[in-house]
Amino acid sequence: MGIKFLYLCIFIFFLISIISFLGFRRSPRIFTKIFSFVKGFVFLFLSLGILWIAINLRTYNLFYREKLIAEIVCKKTGSEEMELFLKLLDNTGEKRFVLRGDQWMIGGDILRWKRSIYLLGLTNFYKLTRLSSRYLKADRESFATHFEINGGTDKLWIFLYRYQRYLPFVEAVYGNCVYTFPKEKTLFKLYVTNSGFSLKEESAP
């Protein structure tokens, strides 16, 4: 049940309540007056209740929505080697990477707006900047593979990091990443949410 349908119900119920209250004023019969008043009150209560539900659903959708930004396929090609294909959905090209490690990791920069700005329909400002591998044992991290993507963290983002506390409507600017193991026949979908990047798996053909 979509929010648009709820808004339609609110309009119809509110219209019925107005018509009922007008009938209460115009009807000469006591029984009809009482019935019109009760009906008007019931439909007014229903319209207000559905309006409360619609507002909460919209707020939930604004704060917990997610946007698909990339699709990734990654599989092991050796004991510590993996092959990764990255497809950014705002770019038609697909890139291939060879990584050494136990896991692969992707991340970048996130700008979080203040809550009042999300109510206007804006989403997080973001940029993917780094693709790398990761070892489970910290003492092997020096052998990890690193690639810069999208030009890395540019001057605009450096400015945002340094002066975020002085920028109106900005709640926070920070780096964020997600990582997981390579898997056969798996399509990884990368999303940006109001808290940062998230990763989901689907079966690949």
Side-chain angles (χ1 to χ4, degrees), residues 2 4 28 64-65 67 74 81 86 94 97 102 113 117 121 126 128 133 142-143 146-147 157 162 167 181 193-194 198:
K4 290 183 178 179
Y64 295 96
R65 64 183 171 181
K67 176 185 176 184
C74 185
E81 187 172 275
L86 171 65
E94 183 179 69
F97 301 88
D102 300 313
W113 302 107
I117 300 300
Y126 70 94
L128 289 173
S133 61
S142 59
F143 300 103
H146 302 276
F147 292 97
W157 279 99
R162 288 178 177 173
L167 300 176
F181 291 94
T193 71
N194 283 346
S198 67

Side-chain angles (χ1 to χ4, degrees), residues 33-85:
K33 279 180 175 290
I34 295 174
F35 178 76
S36 297
F37 178 80
V38 172
K39 185 171 72 171
F41 180 79
V42 168
F43 279 97
L44 178 61
F45 179 79
L46 286 173
S47 63
L48 292 175
I50 296 174
L51 177 62
W52 181 82
I53 294 172
I55 291 173
N56 279 275
L57 281 176
R58 175 169 171 75
T59 303
Y60 177 85
N61 290 335
L62 287 173
F63 285 107
Y64 295 96
R65 64 183 171 181
E66 54 190 15
K67 176 185 176 184
L68 179 62
I69 58 174
E71 293 181 344
I72 300 163
V73 174
C74 185
K75 60 182 180 180
K76 293 194 70 171
T77 55
S79 59
E80 292 184 355
E81 187 172 275
M82 64 192 91
E83 182 181 45
L84 185 146
F85 293 90

Side-chain angles (χ1 to χ4, degrees), residues 3-205:
I3 293 180
K4 290 183 178 179
F5 176 75
L6 291 179
Y7 286 147
L8 178 61
C9 290
I10 293 168
F11 174 77
I12 293 173
F13 289 168
F14 186 73
L15 185 62
I16 292 173
S17 68
I18 294 298
I19 294 173
S20 299
F21 286 131
L22 290 175
F24 165 77
R25 294 184 59 186
R26 294 175 181 176
S27 177
R29 298 181 180 180
I30 298 298
F31 177 78
T32 306
K33 279 180 175 290
I34 295 174
F35 178 76
S36 297
F37 178 80
V38 172
K39 185 171 72 171
F41 180 79
V42 168
F43 279 97
L44 178 61
F45 179 79
L46 286 173
S47 63
L48 292 175
I50 296 174
L51 177 62
W52 181 82
I53 294 172
I55 291 173
N56 279 275
L57 281 176
R58 175 169 171 75
T59 303
Y60 177 85
N61 290 335
L62 287 173
F63 285 107
Y64 295 96
R65 64 183 171 181
E66 54 190 15
K67 176 185 176 184
L68 179 62
I69 58 174
E71 293 181 344
I72 300 163
V73 174
C74 185
K75 60 182 180 180
K76 293 194 70 171
T77 55
S79 59
E80 292 184 355
E81 187 172 275
M82 64 192 91
E83 182 181 45
L84 185 146
F85 293 90
L86 171 65
K87 181 180 180 182
L88 302 178
L89 296 190
D90 59 358
N91 191 328
T92 56
E94 183 179 69
K95 294 184 178 180
R96 175 182 175 271
F97 301 88
V98 176
L99 305 171
R100 291 190 60 82
D102 300 313
Q103 297 176 307
W104 61 270
M105 178 168 60
I106 190 168
D109 306 312
I110 293 286
L111 182 149
R112 276 182 55 87
W113 302 107
K114 292 185 177 178
R115 294 201 171 193
S116 57
I117 300 300
Y118 289 117
L119 296 177
L120 300 177
L122 293 181
T123 56
N124 276 351
F125 188 40
Y126 70 94
K127 183 181 182 182
L128 289 173
T129 60
R130 186 70 59 90
L131 176 68
S132 60
S133 61
R134 181 177 184 272
Y135 281 90
L136 294 178
K137 293 185 177 180
D139 59 1
R140 302 211 61 199
E141 275 298 298
S142 59
F143 300 103
T145 314
H146 302 276
F147 292 97
E148 189 178 80
I149 56 178
N150 287 333
T153 299
D154 55 32
K155 292 182 179 179
L156 172 61
W157 279 99
I158 293 174
F159 172 84
L160 293 173
Y161 274 108
R162 288 178 177 173
Y163 301 105
Q164 58 181 289
R165 70 177 69 178
Y166 306 110
L167 300 176
F169 312 119
V170 172
E171 182 177 278
V173 179
Y174 55 93
N176 181 237
C177 68
V178 289
Y179 51 85
T180 189
F181 291 94
K183 293 183 180 180
E184 295 284 342
K185 297 182 179 180
T186 301
L187 175 64
F188 299 96
K189 290 193 171 185
L190 181 67
Y191 294 85
V192 61
T193 71
N194 283 346
S195 59
F197 300 114
S198 67
L199 202 60
K200 296 182 182 180
E201 296 181 11
E202 289 185 5
S203 297

